[in-house]
Amino acid sequence: MFALVDCNNFYASCERVFKPQLRNKPVAILSNNDGCVISMSDEVKKILPFGAPIFKWERVCRENNIHVFSSNYPLYGDMSERVMSILGQFSPDVEIYSIDEAFLEFRGFKDFDYQKEALKIRERILQWTGIPTCVGIAPTKGLSKIANKIARTNLKQSKGVCVIDSEEKRIKALKWLSIEKVWGIGYRLQKKLKARGCITAYDFTQLNSEWVRKTYSITLWELQQDLLGKPTLRLNKLKNKKSIATTRSFETTFSDLNNIKERISTFAMSSAEKLRNQKSSCYMIIILLSSHRHKKDTEQHRASKTILFSQPTNSSLTISKAAVEAVESIFKKGIKYKRAGVIVTGLVPENNFQLDLFTQENPKHKSLMSAIDKVNKKFKADKIKLANQDLQRTWKMRQERLSPKYTTNINEVINVK
């Protein structure tokens, strides 16, 4: 059996944990640079559309007393780690699917009361973290997704739990779910399936399996088998990324080279740290720079440059230096730039690669990077930075409605009277 545990309105719920006065009040969370609404409490979903640009809906928020916050990623990341660590107490087989949901596999759990176990999972997470969740349990991953949707839709009746443990329940659930809400079926695919008469998930399972495999893909066939109750989609093992991108929009437009070099250096530092976390090195970096594409009345410029290293590296010093030199070469004076990024690719294991006969990176870099990572990990913040970085901020984003980092900054820990 598989369980899908999904946190309800996760970002909004994280804000409510430390502001209990916001419970049952409308809460909305904004994207980077306070742009669009990316998370909402149930109360807000009746008022705002997902992705609503906040500058267009400011008046509506005031009229409806909607509490709007900037994204507080350190807080959300830390709360997510706490939830996922709790899930590890219920099964050794856990696949973290996203920041707010995870699959669990129960192997060898015979004569097990899944309803009781699901309630226990939900209650423990709520008690230990304050985050409300829904739990769906079924014989396959695909069906557990549907079970979770049922639990979430009928929250009062289901108490946040749904278990599909019989053929009758499986068929009833599939007939209840419309085809466009099936996990893994996008907008274009649903149109094609509807043209074939698939209105519900049950209709999809009635299609000829071989035809689905030949006409579409092995992935869609696996999903169909899962919905038929045949476990086909397994838990995914954590894999290293083939490339790592750090791209951001600036809080305002920059036309001076020094500000852009500082941003590029920060992005390069972040990319290098991610490389070391997965024990990889890169042969190549790509630097991106673009102006504000929505301001048609200003001169536009988009450019990129690729840098190849003679031997792979994950040193922040090496990658940052190459990135800064690259952005200097593509920078165009007089342009107002809005976005930049660093992509590291050509990844190989850090301890297994081809050496270069004539060049060699300073061997001190490895121990230095290890020391930097150790300090930054201990304090859960970028305490050590390169000299050309902004020492006051990690990302220069517009965050005018930012809540405190209650769990990751000792100076912002909540005061209890």
Side-chain angles (χ1 to χ4, degrees):
M1 296 287 277
F2 291 84
L4 176 66
V5 182
D6 188 10
C7 301
N8 301 342
N9 309 321
F10 182 60
Y11 290 178
S13 294
C14 288
E15 298 290 351
R16 282 174 165 173
V17 168
F18 301 96
K19 300 183 185 71
Q21 67 272 22
L22 296 182
R23 288 174 187 169
N24 302 317
K25 300 287 181 64
V27 175
I29 311 299
L30 302 178
S31 62
N32 291 346
N33 294 313
D34 291 349
C36 304
V37 176
I38 58 171
S39 180
M40 300 174 277
S41 64
D42 291 336
E43 296 82 6
V44 181
K45 291 176 182 177
K46 304 171 185 176
I47 304 169
L48 299 182
F50 183 81
I54 193 62
F55 75 93
K56 289 185 177 181
W57 294 82
E58 197 80 65
R59 181 178 59 81
V60 175
C61 291
R62 286 197 301 270
E63 291 174 353
N64 291 275
N65 295 317
I66 297 175
H67 301 267
V68 182
F69 294 94
S70 303
S71 291
N72 191 339
Y73 295 120
L75 174 65
Y76 308 152
D78 185 68
M79 294 300 288
S80 175
E81 285 184 21
R82 294 171 188 236
V83 171
M84 299 309 166
S85 66
I86 293 172
L87 295 180
Q89 299 173 8
F90 292 90
S91 172
D93 300 308
V94 179
E95 176 195 336
I96 299 175
Y97 188 66
S98 67
I99 192 172
D100 63 344
E101 61 182 321
F103 287 101
L104 282 71
E105 185 174 3
F106 297 109
R107 288 188 290 179
F109 290 71
K110 294 183 179 179
D111 302 322
F112 204 58
D113 189 335
Y114 292 105
Q115 182 77 19
K116 186 182 292 185
E117 195 69 7
L119 286 170
K120 191 187 294 184
I121 291 172
R122 191 170 188 267
E123 288 166 4
R124 186 173 298 180
I125 292 174
L126 184 62
Q127 183 179 8
W128 290 12
T129 68
I131 301 294
T133 59
C134 284
V135 183
I137 297 183
T140 69
K141 285 177 71 176
L143 287 172
S144 70
K145 265 279 190 181
I146 296 177
N148 190 280
K149 283 183 180 291
I150 295 172
R152 184 74 175 90
T153 304
N154 306 298
L155 201 53
K156 289 184 179 179
Q157 184 180 349
S158 67
K159 297 182 180 178
V161 168
C162 176
V163 179
I164 298 175
D165 55 2
S166 68
E167 184 66 7
E168 182 184 355
K169 289 182 181 179
R170 182 187 74 84
I171 293 173
K172 186 177 180 181
L174 292 175
K175 288 183 176 180
W176 169 82
L177 190 69
S178 57
I179 190 67
E180 62 266 21
K181 293 184 179 179
V182 175
W183 177 44
I185 294 183
Y187 177 73
R188 292 183 180 178
L189 185 54
Q190 63 162 284
K191 289 181 69 176
K192 293 179 181 178
L193 291 174
K194 282 183 177 180
R196 298 283 305 184
C198 293
I199 306 302
T200 66
Y202 179 76
D203 297 331
F204 171 59
T205 61
Q206 299 307 296
L207 294 177
N208 182 276
S209 296
E210 285 304 312
W211 178 84
V212 170
R213 187 169 189 166
K214 291 178 181 178
T215 307
Y216 295 105
S217 65
I218 184 68
T219 304
L220 193 63
W221 175 83
E222 288 176 340
L223 175 60
Q224 187 194 43
Q225 297 303 299
D226 243 44
L227 298 183
L228 285 167
K230 304 171 185 176
T232 309
L233 299 172
R234 312 306 307 185
L235 293 189
N236 293 327
K237 302 296 182 182
L238 190 63
K239 295 180 180 178
N240 286 343
K241 296 179 179 179
K242 295 182 179 179
S243 63
I244 295 172
T246 305
T247 61
R248 295 286 187 277
S249 293
F250 307 140
E251 80 278 13
T252 183
T253 54
F254 290 144
S255 55
D256 60 307
L257 181 57
N258 287 333
N259 263 319
I260 293 173
K261 284 164 63 176
E262 189 277 331
R263 290 292 81 204
I264 285 291
S265 178
T266 298
F267 300 163
M269 185 87 167
S270 175
S271 297
E273 183 181 358
K274 292 173 184 176
L275 275 176
R276 296 192 294 273
N277 284 341
Q278 71 170 40
K279 301 189 183 304
S280 297
S281 294
C282 71
Y283 268 108
M284 178 170 62
I285 64 169
I286 303 170
I287 309 304
L288 310 172
L289 189 62
S290 63
S291 55
H292 202 320
R293 59 189 176 90
H294 295 300
K295 293 191 175 182
K296 306 296 183 183
D297 55 333
T298 61
E299 186 179 353
Q300 299 292 311
H301 180 235
R302 296 180 65 185
S304 65
K305 184 163 185 179
T306 300
I307 303 294
L308 296 173
F309 298 113
S310 57
Q311 66 179 42
T313 181
N314 58 18
S315 166
S316 296
L317 300 176
T318 303
I319 293 175
S320 177
K321 181 181 178 182
V324 168
E325 290 176 354
V327 82
E328 285 177 337
S329 67
I330 61 176
F331 173 81
K332 191 175 179 182
K333 195 172 181 180
I335 300 293
K336 294 183 177 180
Y337 291 100
K338 182 61 177 176
R339 189 173 182 85
V342 175
I343 301 174
V344 294
T345 188
L347 307 191
V348 296
E350 65 177 1
N351 58 357
N352 184 14
F353 56 85
Q354 183 67 46
L355 297 172
D356 187 271
L357 183 61
F358 302 103
T359 60
Q360 185 179 0
E361 189 174 72
N362 190 329
K364 294 181 179 179
H365 282 203
K366 188 172 182 178
S367 54
L368 176 60
M369 294 303 109
S370 178
I372 290 174
D373 291 341
K374 188 174 181 180
V375 171
N376 287 338
K377 185 176 181 180
K378 180 178 179 180
F379 293 100
K380 292 194 175 183
D382 296 332
K383 292 296 183 183
I384 300 181
K385 300 183 179 183
L386 301 183
N388 60 357
Q389 287 182 260
D390 187 325
L391 301 180
Q392 302 302 316
R393 299 176 68 179
T394 303
W395 302 117
K396 298 190 80 172
M397 293 191 297
R398 185 186 296 115
Q399 293 178 305
E400 298 172 354
R401 312 164 198 246
L402 188 65
S403 57
K405 302 179 182 65
Y406 297 105
T407 63
T408 59
N409 189 327
I410 192 66
N411 298 316
E412 297 181 24
V413 170
I414 195 167
N415 292 319
V416 180
K417 295 182 180 179

